[in-house]
Amino acid sequence: MYIVKTKYSLETNIEPLSLLEQAKELNIETLLIADDGPYAWLEIEKLNHQYNINVLYAIEKERNGVKLIWIPKGNILIKVAKLESAYRTNDFSSIKRDDFEVFLVPNHITKKEIIQKDLDTLRWLKSKVDKVYILDRKESSRNARILKEKSGVHTLKIKDLAYLDPMERDVSLMRKAIKNGKFIEDNYKAFMLPIQFLKEEMEPFEFNRTSRFFSNIKQSFIVEGHKDFKEKKMEYWNTEEISKTVIPDDWNRFFGRDVKIPKSEWEQKKLALLCYKAGYGFNERYIGSDKETSYAIKRLKHELSVIAEKGFYTYFLMVADFIRYCRQKNIRVGRGRGSVVGSVLAYCLDIIQIDPITYELKFERFLNPYRSNKPDIDIDLPASLIHMLFDYVKEKYGSEFVSKILTFNTFGVINAIQSIKNIFDIKERIETWFPKGLDNLDEFLKTSEGKQVTKRLKEKGYLYILDYVNGIASLPQALSIHPAGVIISQELNELPLIKRDGELVLAFTKQDDQIERLGVTKFDFLKVKTLDITLGTEVIRKKLGKPVYELDFNDKKTFELYRKGNSIGVFQMKSFGMRKTCQEVKPESLEDLMDILALYRPGPMEEIPRYIENKEKGFWSFEKLDPNSTEFKDIVPILNKTHGIITYQEQIMEMAAVWAGYTLGEADLLRRAISEKKRKLLEAEKSKFVERSIINGRDFKVTEYIYYLIEKFSDYGFNRSHAGGYAFFSFETAFQKAHYPVEFMTSSMNVSIDKRKKLKVYLEEIKNMQIRLLKPDLYESNVHFEVTKDGDIRMGLAAIAGIGTGNATRVKELLGNKRVKTFAEVKDRLKEMSGRTMDILIRAGVFDSFGDRYQIWQSVKGKKNQKSLNGENPLLHYLEWEQELLQYTFSNFDEVIATLESGEYVIESISPIKDKKGRKMAFLKVADKSEKKELVVYYNVWANFSDKLSVGTIVTPKLKDKNIATTFEIKNESA
């Protein structure tokens, strides 16, 4: 009998699985879970089938600063939903007296005002619920005794559990300290004891009293497996459209076979509406085109029959309505992504714009008739406009029936280090000694850089921090709203909803299919910034009065861009490795792009050289599989599509279907079973495959080889529908870059204007593309990047480091439309801007039209006492300032180069990178009077010079092999 807070309380490190395992091992019969929300409940319920622990659920809430533990009775989800609503509205009238039993948790500080507050809360509780108790803990036992004497409310002892094992104590205390802001020692006894020791510690009388208390509380869940479980209603609310829909006399014409039709007339009308909409869409997309329609209509009927039998027609109507609204309001929607791209029905409903038949995509990879999984359609939307769809959904379905989904953000290594060092009051920024995004501390510490960090920590006396990091890094750090998930249900009032950032949020997460298990349906509205880029590109074109061309998926200019490796900024093809692969593969079709996207991943990457070789040769062979052999003739066409490389999950499904006579649905189950690597399941599936193959007339030995191939490549196989969606989206961005390069790069930079690293990549790219960039100017620049009438790009003020969109907008507002002639007048207009902001704007060259930059910089407040240049060229300052603030050099390097002496170079750009072992190094572009060259600075040299070198620095490098720098002499370093 323990009262427990799990890791989801953000206070302990207790994992639900470990908790149940330990309780079973020590014969603990009852646990009371008392997080401040129901976050662990579904996870524990799912796991507890194996352990059969008597788990009771409670939530800890505060009222007027007093902690209360509410233990719901009966249907606990509905009861907690009422409680959350009561707390949100501060109206507890809906709480019935027998809904809860409640513990008051006394404060450990004995003060008159604290005791009085607890007493007032006890009186309030007694007016709301029948059974109220005072939780008697050792540290607050005195207060518990006083409260009992003054109120007549009984105390009850329940053993607290803060960690499962004494070895976990330190990490547990650290986790609690991070939440509370200070380190508090405990009594070393807050771990789980075997039942016999627990009895002795609590004393027999208290133990038996607590046991009776637990045994009297009855709770029930309405989730899957429970006798009262039911699907939460989801309704398509175009009621007028549904009411006008005619129920057909012959359903068979829609499905091609007998299908179980819903009994409700309203549900029949919805199903009929979906069928009619599918028919209209089919006629638009297939009839009158050069597409083969007999197979298409067969596919559509099959999909409709599966969707009808599984009851998913409402879901499709709703998604189609979301897409329709977006297109109507000119909100750019993705053409389709993920498994749904394999659905002809989705294509006919305009949910996707990629024909699954043209690209041989499989419906069974999306919805399998043999599995009960619900459809999952991702709706890709521009980040800047996604709120419009969410507002539409709330308006249409009612805000009380729409909620977001909860998610937990884990610490990660860097945040863990930062949080731990704050507890120990370490002022030094030791988190910066570790690589950003580090996710495996142990692996890092084995590297040479990691060993250096360990040495540094030891020298500083901070090494003990590492003892805590791994234990904290994987724990939840904070509650937040899932960025994409949206729930729509008429029965949300039966589920716990919390208020977060002004939104209603379902108090469960996406993990372990919790949403499906609650009986509600989730929709995913995803923010995709690339859609902002493509939409922004077209807006700029139209603003300039230029045409927007219709996408041509055979466009030679676009494929040439891929083949030359010029795909920086192109969706999914930005990285160096991807660009190199495109240069080697030389894509000529969307199929080629799909293959690149499917193969460029860990594992299948090893097959890329063989893929390229086979594609260039025009023929292939693989191990025992001879494409000219008659015994493999049924498999060869499947592999011909990808030059002999098994690339897609759909190919594995096709091989099982062709070779062993599986249906595609059965083949998908086989693929999943192999991916899960469960030994007994694998053996059973192999026996089944061999047996079915022999019945199908196949040779035993050849069958074993085919199964070996399927098993080998199931891990590597990529979802072809997913690759198709990505390829289309990638092509669209590449098409824009190829045909509207200036507008595309401008839009790309605007979308990433607050992301320094991305912006730097784009700025380098426009330089490579020989697009002229104009420096920021007080009047000529706007907030964002803009295309000029001459086809150049003018840098926006928000792109300046330290300025941002807010300051840039305010600067433009303060300036107004009337231009001034002197810097003094400008300074007067911008007097509300901080000194730091003005300093940045001056050094960035924004006020250059009012005079010499260096003189203006010296003239402003706080700069009058600056030392004179003493003959030093101010251009060196300008170069350094521009690189720091703009990440781009506008000043003329030639003036500096003209002053260089023999052996001196000026640094024009610095590109820091990491080598294969994760060590920091750099490439420097330098120039002297006769040439420009690139220097390689390896990690051992870069470690000594990284903080001394910047753009505009004049150096005399010592070189090895012409371009490898071994050291630098820096001009005027001592000065």
Side-chain angles (χ1 to χ4, degrees):
M1 294 177 296
Y2 285 93
I3 186 166
V4 190
K5 287 192 172 187
T6 72
K7 66 178 183 179
Y8 300 110
S9 66
L10 309 182
E11 192 169 322
T12 76
N13 60 339
I14 294 177
E15 294 278 354
L17 176 59
S18 302
L19 173 67
L20 295 172
E21 287 175 340
Q22 186 93 324
K24 187 72 173 177
E25 186 178 337
L26 300 180
N27 295 317
I28 301 301
E29 296 172 355
T30 306
L31 298 170
L32 177 63
I33 308 298
D35 297 337
D36 55 1
Y39 316 127
W41 295 7
L42 289 181
E43 186 176 343
I44 291 172
E45 279 293 293
K46 188 174 183 179
L47 294 168
N48 198 23
H49 292 299
Q50 305 171 52
Y51 301 97
N52 296 316
I53 308 295
N54 178 30
V55 178
L56 295 177
Y57 298 98
I59 60 172
E60 184 178 281
K61 307 283 280 185
E62 279 196 11
R63 190 172 190 277
N64 296 333
V66 179
K67 286 184 180 178
L68 304 174
I69 296 174
W70 297 78
I71 307 173
K73 298 187 294 183
N75 181 342
I76 62 175
L77 290 185
I78 290 177
K79 299 292 171 64
V80 173
K82 287 165 63 177
L83 185 67
E84 291 289 0
S85 176
Y87 267 92
R88 283 198 308 274
T89 59
N90 197 27
D91 179 4
F92 288 79
S93 59
S94 64
I95 303 294
K96 295 179 182 176
R97 296 194 65 84
D98 63 348
D99 281 348
F100 293 89
E101 296 193 12
V102 186
F103 282 104
L104 181 140
V105 183
N107 200 301
H108 66 280
I109 299 171
T110 305
K111 283 188 176 181
K112 186 177 179 180
E113 58 269 26
I114 290 174
I115 296 291
Q116 189 58 52
K117 190 185 284 189
D118 285 352
L119 283 170
D120 291 342
T121 305
L122 282 171
R123 292 190 191 98
W124 175 81
L125 277 174
K126 288 167 76 174
S127 73
K128 298 297 176 189
V129 296
D130 287 333
K131 294 188 177 180
V132 181
Y133 305 88
I134 299 165
L135 188 62
D136 188 356
R137 286 174 166 159
K138 187 173 182 179
E139 68 272 16
S140 57
S141 58
R142 185 182 177 195
N143 282 20
R145 189 172 65 251
I146 295 169
L147 289 171
K148 180 183 177 182
E149 289 170 359
K150 289 181 176 290
S151 69
V153 174
H154 287 292
T155 59
L156 198 63
K157 284 187 178 179
I158 307 175
K159 175 75 173 173
D160 270 305
L161 193 65
Y163 38 93
L164 298 179
D165 187 282
M167 299 295 288
E168 298 173 3
R169 176 179 177 271
D170 287 350
V171 171
S172 177
L173 291 182
M174 176 56 68
R175 178 66 192 93
K176 194 166 188 174
I178 291 170
K179 181 179 181 181
N180 298 322
K182 59 182 177 179
F183 203 90
I184 303 171
E185 288 286 352
D186 72 347
N187 60 7
Y188 289 85
K189 293 182 179 179
F191 59 91
M192 191 176 283
L193 293 164
I195 192 72
Q196 61 270 29
F197 292 106
L198 185 59
K199 284 181 182 178
E200 291 173 13
E201 182 169 320
M202 288 184 67
E203 299 176 358
F205 174 76
E206 291 287 359
F207 183 86
N208 292 331
R209 191 159 168 254
T210 306
S211 295
R212 286 195 300 274
F213 166 78
F214 276 126
S215 62
N216 286 334
I217 295 177
K218 304 298 177 190
Q219 295 184 334
S220 63
F221 256 95
I222 295 191
V223 290
E224 94 290 4
H226 191 280
K227 59 184 174 63
D228 294 325
F229 174 73
K230 58 180 177 178
E231 290 277 335
K232 304 293 175 190
K233 287 179 187 173
M234 178 178 60
E235 186 59 272
Y236 178 56
W237 280 16
N238 281 5
T239 52
E240 186 178 345
E241 189 178 32
I242 296 170
S243 60
K244 289 179 180 177
T245 301
V246 179
I247 298 173
D249 296 327
D250 178 20
W251 286 100
N252 192 272
R253 67 190 173 98
F254 291 119
F255 310 125
R257 63 182 177 87
D258 290 333
V259 168
K260 188 178 179 182
I261 303 300
K263 292 179 182 178
S264 159
E265 183 179 318
W266 184 255
E267 294 298 305
Q268 286 185 26
K269 281 177 174 284
K270 286 197 289 181
L271 178 56
L273 180 61
L274 180 71
C275 293
Y276 291 137
K277 284 178 178 287
Y280 296 143
F282 183 88
N283 289 339
E284 286 179 7
R285 284 159 181 74
Y286 290 100
I287 303 301
S289 69
D290 57 358
K291 296 176 180 177
E292 203 279 308
T293 58
S294 60
Y295 174 66
I297 194 68
K298 184 180 177 182
R299 271 278 297 267
L300 180 59
K301 286 184 174 183
H302 167 65
E303 292 183 20
L304 281 169
S305 69
V306 172
I307 286 156
E309 288 185 330
K310 290 184 175 290
F312 296 154
Y313 41 87
T314 303
Y315 180 89
F316 276 88
L317 285 170
M318 292 174 76
V319 173
D321 181 58
F322 301 157
I323 302 292
R324 176 205 58 77
Y325 169 79
C326 290
R327 299 205 199 285
Q328 189 181 63
K329 296 294 182 182
N330 293 319
I331 303 169
R332 180 64 56 89
V333 189
R335 294 173 178 272
R337 180 160 60 90
S339 301
V340 70
V341 182
S343 170
V344 171
L345 173 62
Y347 181 54
C348 292
L349 293 174
D350 202 27
I351 290 171
I352 63 171
Q353 294 183 319
I354 303 164
D355 182 5
I357 293 174
T358 300
Y359 295 96
E360 300 181 40
L361 308 176
K362 309 299 180 190
F363 174 69
E364 285 74 12
R365 186 59 189 82
F366 171 54
L367 280 181
N368 191 326
Y370 297 96
R371 290 190 291 120
S372 59
N373 63 305
K374 289 185 176 181
D376 188 10
I377 300 174
D378 292 339
I379 303 172
D380 291 344
L381 299 157
S384 60
L385 301 177
I386 196 168
H387 67 278
M388 291 177 65
L389 179 57
F390 191 59
D391 289 345
Y392 168 73
V393 167
K394 285 199 285 190
E395 183 182 344
K396 181 164 188 171
Y397 292 94
S399 57
E400 69 273 29
F401 302 133
V402 178
S403 85
K404 297 284 188 76
I405 303 171
L406 183 75
T407 189
F408 284 92
N409 302 322
T410 54
F411 277 90
V413 174
I414 303 302
N415 278 341
I417 293 168
Q418 192 168 11
S419 300
I420 294 162
K421 68 123 185 183
N422 289 343
I423 294 300
F424 289 119
D425 200 28
I426 296 170
K427 304 300 183 188
E428 202 159 358
R429 298 187 63 205
I430 58 175
E431 65 273 16
T432 62
W433 303 354
F434 298 80
K436 286 184 180 178
L438 178 64
D439 57 5
N440 190 320
L441 178 65
D442 293 336
E443 287 297 316
F444 168 71
L445 294 177
K446 291 175 186 175
T447 66
S448 58
E449 189 180 353
K451 288 173 182 174
Q452 287 294 319
V453 170
T454 303
K455 183 182 177 184
R456 196 173 174 188
L457 288 168
K458 191 174 181 179
E459 289 170 351
K460 293 276 188 176
Y462 301 148
L463 195 59
Y464 62 91
I465 281 180
L466 299 183
D467 296 338
Y468 297 93
V469 176
N470 281 336
I472 298 296
S474 61
L475 293 175
Q477 181 185 19
L479 288 169
S480 63
I481 298 175
H482 190 277
V486 177
I487 301 293
I488 303 173
S489 172
Q490 285 180 289
E491 297 182 0
L492 269 179
N493 62 328
E494 294 186 6
L495 295 172
L497 299 174
I498 61 175
K499 199 87 170 182
R500 193 146 194 100
D501 299 333
E503 299 278 7
L504 277 183
V505 183
L506 184 63
F508 296 99
T509 69
K510 287 178 71 174
Q511 68 183 37
D512 294 328
D513 301 320
Q514 288 189 8
I515 304 304
E516 285 195 12
R517 289 163 56 209
L518 287 167
V520 295
T521 301
K522 168 186 65 67
F523 301 89
D524 280 322
F525 300 166
L526 282 87
K527 294 179 182 178
V528 179
K529 286 194 172 182
T530 306
L531 285 169
D532 287 290
I533 293 172
T534 57
L535 182 61
T537 301
E538 292 182 7
V539 168
I540 294 170
R541 290 284 293 179
K542 290 172 183 174
K543 191 176 177 182
L544 294 168
K546 295 180 179 180
V548 174
Y549 307 128
E550 187 174 342
L551 272 177
D552 175 4
F553 290 103
N554 297 307
D555 182 64
K556 291 181 180 179
K557 191 173 183 180
T558 304
F559 283 111
E560 186 64 21
L561 181 143
Y562 283 112
R563 288 195 290 271
K564 287 183 175 178
N566 293 336
S567 54
I568 286 176
V570 172
F571 183 70
Q572 290 288 309
M573 299 287 191
K574 304 172 185 177
S575 71
F576 174 78
M578 266 294 197
R579 287 182 280 128
K580 187 170 181 290
T581 301
C582 285
Q583 287 175 300
E584 293 170 344
V585 171
K586 300 180 179 64
E588 301 168 284
S589 66
L590 280 167
E591 292 276 359
D592 290 343
L593 296 181
M594 288 165 65
D595 292 350
I596 291 169
L597 287 161
L599 289 169
Y600 193 82
R601 294 175 302 111
M605 285 178 86
E606 297 171 11
E607 301 292 337
I608 291 176
R610 194 160 64 87
Y611 175 93
I612 294 167
E613 182 186 349
N614 292 349
K615 184 175 183 286
E616 287 176 351
K617 288 189 306 189
F619 64 90
W620 59 270
S621 61
F622 180 62
E623 293 181 1
K624 299 176 186 177
L625 208 161
D626 181 355
N628 298 314
S629 171
T630 55
E631 59 189 354
F632 293 115
K633 64 182 176 64
D634 294 333
I635 297 294
V636 169
I638 297 169
L639 300 187
N640 275 343
K641 303 168 191 173
T642 51
H643 310 290
I645 312 295
I646 300 176
T647 305
Y648 299 109
Q649 295 167 355
E650 287 84 346
Q651 285 175 296
I652 293 163
M653 292 162 62
E654 285 182 85
M655 287 168 70
V658 165
W659 193 263
Y662 280 50
T663 64
L664 286 173
E666 291 172 324
D668 187 48
L669 293 181
L670 170 69
R671 177 194 64 78
R672 282 176 166 266
I674 293 171
S675 297
E676 288 172 5
K677 293 185 175 69
K678 293 178 180 175
R679 190 169 178 178
K680 286 186 178 179
L681 188 61
L682 277 174
E683 289 172 0
E685 286 295 340
K686 184 176 181 180
S687 299
K688 179 182 172 183
F689 183 83
V690 171
E691 185 181 326
R692 295 278 287 272
S693 298
I694 290 169
I695 292 171
N696 214 32
R698 305 298 187 183
D699 177 80
F700 176 75
K701 285 190 175 181
V702 178
T703 293
E704 283 203 317
Y705 178 65
I706 295 297
Y707 187 81
Y708 151 75
L709 290 178
I710 289 174
E711 197 170 30
K712 178 179 178 180
F713 285 93
S714 279
D715 275 351
Y716 288 176
F718 193 64
N719 182 339
R720 183 173 166 83
S721 296
H722 202 63
Y726 271 11
F728 269 77
F729 201 9
S730 177
F731 185 91
E732 184 174 358
T733 55
F735 181 89
Q736 286 194 342
K737 187 177 183 184
H739 290 277
Y740 335 123
V742 175
E743 294 90 339
F744 177 78
M745 293 308 298
T746 301
S747 182
S748 297
M749 290 190 293
N750 281 335
V751 168
S752 297
I753 202 161
D754 58 344
K755 301 289 189 297
R756 297 276 295 163
K757 283 188 177 179
K758 279 190 178 180
L759 192 56
K760 185 173 183 179
V761 171
Y762 291 139
L763 289 168
E764 284 290 327
E765 179 67 354
I766 62 171
K767 189 182 289 183
N768 295 335
M769 294 168 71
Q770 297 183 326
I771 295 171
R772 188 174 176 221
L773 182 67
L774 306 177
K775 75 179 184 67
D777 178 86
L778 187 64
Y779 283 107
E780 298 301 326
S781 289
N782 213 319
V783 174
H784 294 92
F785 289 90
E786 290 184 334
V787 180
T788 70
K789 61 182 181 181
D790 297 324
D792 303 325
I793 301 176
R794 171 73 69 176
M795 181 176 274
L797 299 180
I800 303 169
I803 298 299
T805 306
N807 278 331
T809 303
R810 188 59 184 149
V811 166
K812 297 302 289 186
E813 287 172 354
L814 292 171
L815 284 174
N817 296 323
K818 188 178 177 183
R819 296 195 176 212
V820 296
K821 295 180 180 179
T822 67
F823 179 69
E825 292 174 285
V826 170
K827 196 163 65 166
D828 184 59
R829 285 202 180 179
L830 301 182
K831 59 188 174 188
E832 79 169 54
M833 306 308 294
S834 70
R836 178 177 177 273
T837 298
M838 291 298 289
D839 177 81
I840 290 170
L841 292 173
I842 293 167
R843 290 191 294 124
V846 170
F847 303 119
D848 282 4
S849 59
F850 295 97
D852 179 78
R853 193 186 312 180
Y854 198 86
Q855 288 180 357
I856 291 173
W857 183 66
Q858 282 191 314
S859 72
V860 298
K861 186 181 178 182
K863 296 291 186 298
K864 291 179 180 177
N865 297 323
Q866 291 287 338
K867 292 179 182 178
S868 65
L869 290 171
N870 292 326
E872 185 184 358
N873 190 341
L875 189 58
L876 292 173
H877 288 280
Y878 300 170
L879 293 171
E880 185 178 344
W881 290 345
E882 287 167 7
Q883 192 63 28
E884 173 199 347
L885 300 173
L886 308 177
Q887 303 185 104
Y888 195 93
T889 305
F890 292 96
S891 297
N892 189 352
F893 269 102
D894 292 342
E895 290 183 32
V896 177
I897 291 170
T899 67
L900 295 177
E901 298 175 7
S902 176
E904 290 182 340
Y905 290 84
V906 61
I907 299 175
E908 291 190 333
S909 72
I910 301 175
S911 301
I913 63 164
K914 288 182 180 178
D915 65 16
K916 291 180 179 179
K917 293 184 178 179
R919 299 171 300 195
K920 295 175 182 176
M921 57 174 289
F923 292 110
L924 307 185
K925 286 183 180 176
V926 299
D928 69 359
K929 286 184 176 180
S930 60
E931 64 173 348
K932 293 179 185 287
K933 64 195 301 180
E934 186 171 73
L935 303 183
V936 181
V937 187
Y938 287 118
Y939 73 95
N940 54 332
V941 179
W942 185 241
N944 296 323
F945 287 94
S946 60
D947 57 348
K948 299 176 182 177
L949 303 180
S950 60
V951 171
T953 303
I954 297 174
V955 296
T956 304
K958 187 174 181 180
L959 302 179
K960 182 177 77 172
D961 299 333
K962 293 186 179 179
N963 72 330
I964 299 172
T966 58
T967 189
F968 294 93
E969 183 182 316
I970 300 171
K971 190 168 186 177
N972 299 325
E973 185 176 13
S974 57

